[in-house]
Amino acid sequence: MKYYFHIFGCQMNEADAEVLAGFLVSMGYSRAESESEADIILLITCCVREHAESRVYGKLGELARLKQLKPSLVVGISGCMPQQADVAESLRVKFPYLDLIFGTHNLPDFPRLLEEAQAHGGQVLEVVEEGEVRENLPRVRQIGLKAWVSIMYGCNNYCTYCIVPYVRGRERSRLPEAILAEIRELTEQGCLEVTLLGQNVNSYGRGLAPQLRVDFADLLAAVDKVPGMQRVRFMTSHPRDFSDKLIETVFNSSSVCEHFHLPVQSGSNQVLARMNRGYTRETYLELVHKLRAAIPHAAITTDIIVGFPGETEQDFSETLDLVREVAFDSVFAFAYSARSGTPAADFAPQLPKAEKSLRLKQLIDTANAIALVRNQKLADKVVEVLVEGPSKTNPDRLTGRTRTNKLVHLDSEPDLVGKLLDVRITRVQTFSMLGERTGVER
Ligand code: SAH
Ligand code: SF4
Ligand code: F3S
């Protein structure tokens, strides 16, 4: 018996997929190479923007045909979409061939739900409201050079555009010892880089027993001391909760990389307030200045939403100004997508699609020009690169990343994968660079 997954969305879903695979393997299943040889297909879905959902609906349409050809096939859907009760119900009605519909908090119940679906042949739907942090669930993990480790789940921020708090539940932190044990185990299996993951890592530790007295900076300092872990990254930092202690910790650590992903979302105070972000343009800029003063070569990247309800031309131009002022290393830009159930979906006026696309293009053009200028600062410099493997586009090349998370291509040589090398940057582009090794191995 074989399983096949379609995974959409963020690392939270990747992590959930590892647990679902763990359950299936413990039940005697193995991974199918393709959909056609699978006995069970699971869609692990995302609903952060409409585009993510459209991809899921497209896939569901295709699966109808496969199910017709092979009626014994079990098709299930989980992840963030069905965690919304109304969406789960509409999936059940619209796609009668779905055998199994369950939410993100039902992960531990999966073996029972699958058994029920197989036993009674009808549709099984179960969505519970809240989940706990659960350790020790079975897990299938491909250990490579890099790994993601969730340090917390959920989010309490309720930014007015965002569906995540509704589909991932309230914020809850894992115990530090569980996180550290996982990271130690990863290093023993050859992993060299870890990214600590949470919707807002800066609020890590809130809600843990007070006698633990652990915050994100403490956790990061402890991870920095794990022998053998060469690089430590973290995502995402909320600009509101970024403490001076955290800046100091990054400065004083050896493996924590000099890269800060600090989603700003907008450069206009009016928009930021209506987004419920809890900081202003001025406090954001102050934070950037503090970071750059402490760690001048740090990379700063961001997420921005254009076309939030009521965003004026003036608001948008303030965003462009902020992008120029900060000079981000890269910007993940999104057109606002109304999510039913979030406050902003009912804000007025909603902007026309064409206007949002126009602003998106302007933002991307501005950000790309700046990214190129930022990268040019590295021309002819020697940087540390962790070689990750062959380039996807050119097998004669290897790719790796700098500590600041920039992509570097270099000529292929045997036995370099997994090495930290000194590389001289020879050519610079917007999204990547070319380099040559200086001959010195670290
Ligand atoms: N917890 C992280 C990431 C959340 S989702 C954070 O707080 O930054 C990743 C990004 O998707 C967000 O930063 C935001 O820029 C974007 N996003 C979230 N909801 C959106 C929506 N309704 N429309 C467009 N972009 C959205
Ligand atoms: Fe969404 Fe805001 Fe939470 Fe990020 S911090 S997940 S954008 S609600
Ligand atoms: Fe992630 Fe999408 Fe859910 S971004 S948390 S998979 S809504």
Side-chain angles (χ1 to χ4, degrees):
M1 299 285 270
K2 295 197 166 180
Y3 68 85
Y4 193 86
F5 291 169
H6 288 285
I7 308 169
F8 302 85
C10 72
Q11 287 300 325
M12 297 289 154
N13 277 355
E14 299 281 346
D16 287 356
E18 291 175 356
V19 173
L20 291 167
F23 279 126
L24 285 162
V25 167
S26 70
M27 293 155 88
Y29 285 80
S30 59
R31 201 174 71 90
E33 290 303 319
S34 70
E35 264 183 352
S36 57
E37 63 180 45
D39 303 286
I40 171 166
I41 296 180
L42 288 182
L43 274 67
I44 304 161
T45 61
C46 172
C47 53
V48 76
R49 284 172 290 276
E50 193 186 344
H51 176 69
E53 283 188 344
S54 314
R55 289 178 52 216
V56 172
Y57 285 118
K59 195 74 226 166
L60 278 170
E62 285 172 34
L63 288 178
R65 239 170 300 132
L66 209 61
K67 179 88 181 181
Q68 253 171 2
L69 291 173
K70 189 175 178 181
S72 66
L73 177 70
V74 173
V75 182
I77 188 164
S78 179
C80 294
M81 274 172 73
Q83 183 57 42
Q84 306 158 91
D86 55 334
V87 179
E89 182 53 25
S90 103
L91 285 166
R92 190 182 69 76
V93 176
K94 273 198 215 140
F95 302 96
Y97 65 83
L98 276 173
D99 302 288
L100 188 54
I101 302 164
F102 59 107
T104 55
H105 300 310
N106 287 101
L107 218 56
D109 312 315
F110 173 68
R112 172 178 59 78
L113 296 171
L114 178 59
E115 226 164 82
E116 280 174 29
Q118 285 167 329
H120 78 53
Q123 287 183 299
V124 170
L125 184 153
E126 202 173 296
V127 178
V128 291
E129 285 287 306
E130 267 298 341
E132 297 299 322
V133 171
R134 289 178 203 246
E135 302 291 348
N136 305 320
L137 293 178
R139 203 165 163 192
V140 170
R141 200 172 205 186
Q142 300 284 335
I143 310 272
L145 293 172
K146 304 207 283 188
W148 303 80
V149 170
S150 301
I151 61 166
M152 58 204 296
Y153 303 98
C155 181
N156 287 353
N157 283 313
Y158 291 94
C159 303
T160 54
Y161 50 82
C162 184
I163 195 75
V164 171
Y166 305 90
V167 293
R168 287 282 163 182
R170 74 194 147 71
E171 186 182 278
R172 52 228 189 266
S173 298
R174 291 177 67 195
L175 286 170
E177 57 265 35
I179 297 167
L180 288 166
E182 186 175 339
I183 294 173
R184 277 188 220 107
E185 202 180 308
L186 285 167
T187 57
E188 280 156 20
Q189 290 165 320
C191 176
L192 298 177
E193 179 179 310
V194 68
T195 303
L196 310 181
L197 208 65
Q199 299 296 350
N200 175 12
V201 292
N202 299 345
S203 58
Y204 173 79
R206 283 180 208 164
L208 287 177
Q211 63 270 24
L212 280 175
R213 278 184 215 194
V214 60
D215 63 14
F216 181 59
D218 301 324
L219 178 73
L220 202 57
V223 175
D224 181 51
K225 293 197 186 76
V226 173
M229 195 49 85
Q230 304 278 1
R231 287 179 168 188
V232 180
R233 303 184 184 278
F234 53 97
M235 240 176 60
T236 300
S237 304
H238 196 299
R240 185 194 52 213
D241 302 318
F242 209 107
S243 66
D244 290 349
K245 179 176 167 190
L246 182 54
I247 301 179
E248 230 168 89
T249 306
V250 176
F251 181 79
N252 290 326
S253 69
S254 55
S255 55
V256 181
C257 293
E258 299 78 16
H259 169 211
F260 302 97
H261 185 61
L262 269 181
V264 67
Q265 312 298 359
S266 170
S268 150
N269 281 337
Q270 298 227 26
V271 174
L272 286 172
R274 278 185 296 118
M275 286 177 162
N276 189 31
R277 289 291 289 176
Y279 54 85
T280 61
R281 174 192 179 90
E282 291 73 26
T283 52
Y284 185 90
L285 287 171
E286 204 180 293
L287 172 59
V288 166
H289 292 143
K290 255 199 269 181
L291 286 173
R292 292 239 164 97
I295 310 172
H297 61 289
I300 301 181
T301 58
T302 202
D303 294 350
I304 292 177
I305 297 175
V306 301
F308 186 75
E311 184 190 72
T312 61
E313 281 289 346
Q314 173 63 27
D315 292 323
F316 178 60
S317 77
E318 287 177 21
T319 296
L320 291 180
D321 276 351
L322 179 127
V323 166
R324 289 187 206 101
E325 186 165 345
V326 176
F328 290 105
D329 290 86
S330 89
V331 173
F332 297 88
F334 308 103
Y336 170 72
S337 168
R339 304 287 70 206
S340 139
T342 63
D346 299 323
F347 289 180
Q350 297 280 327
L351 271 64
K353 204 169 176 193
E355 184 58 35
K356 289 193 274 191
S357 306
L358 200 73
R359 290 184 191 181
L360 186 64
K361 186 177 179 322
Q362 258 181 290
L363 172 61
I364 291 172
D365 290 347
T366 305
N368 286 353
I370 291 167
L372 182 61
V373 173
R374 291 282 301 166
N375 285 350
Q376 275 158 351
K377 288 192 195 305
L378 290 179
D380 236 21
K381 297 262 169 20
V382 175
V383 289
E384 180 200 281
V385 171
L386 172 61
V387 183
E388 293 175 7
S391 153
K392 287 194 186 93
T393 46
N394 180 349
D396 297 331
R397 287 220 176 113
L398 291 169
T399 62
R401 286 192 184 259
T402 64
R403 288 176 63 92
T404 51
N405 210 30
K406 294 180 189 275
L407 192 63
V408 179
H409 301 280
L410 53 160
D411 285 341
S412 195
E413 286 177 59
D415 304 326
L416 287 188
V417 174
K419 296 263 162 62
L420 285 168
L421 299 178
D422 277 337
V423 169
R424 184 178 304 284
I425 300 301
T426 52
R427 213 176 105 207
V428 167
Q429 294 161 317
T430 308
F431 304 112
S432 66
M433 329 193 174
L434 272 182
E436 56 191 26
R437 59 187 293 218
T438 58
V440 192
E441 203 175 284
R442 282 180 181 243

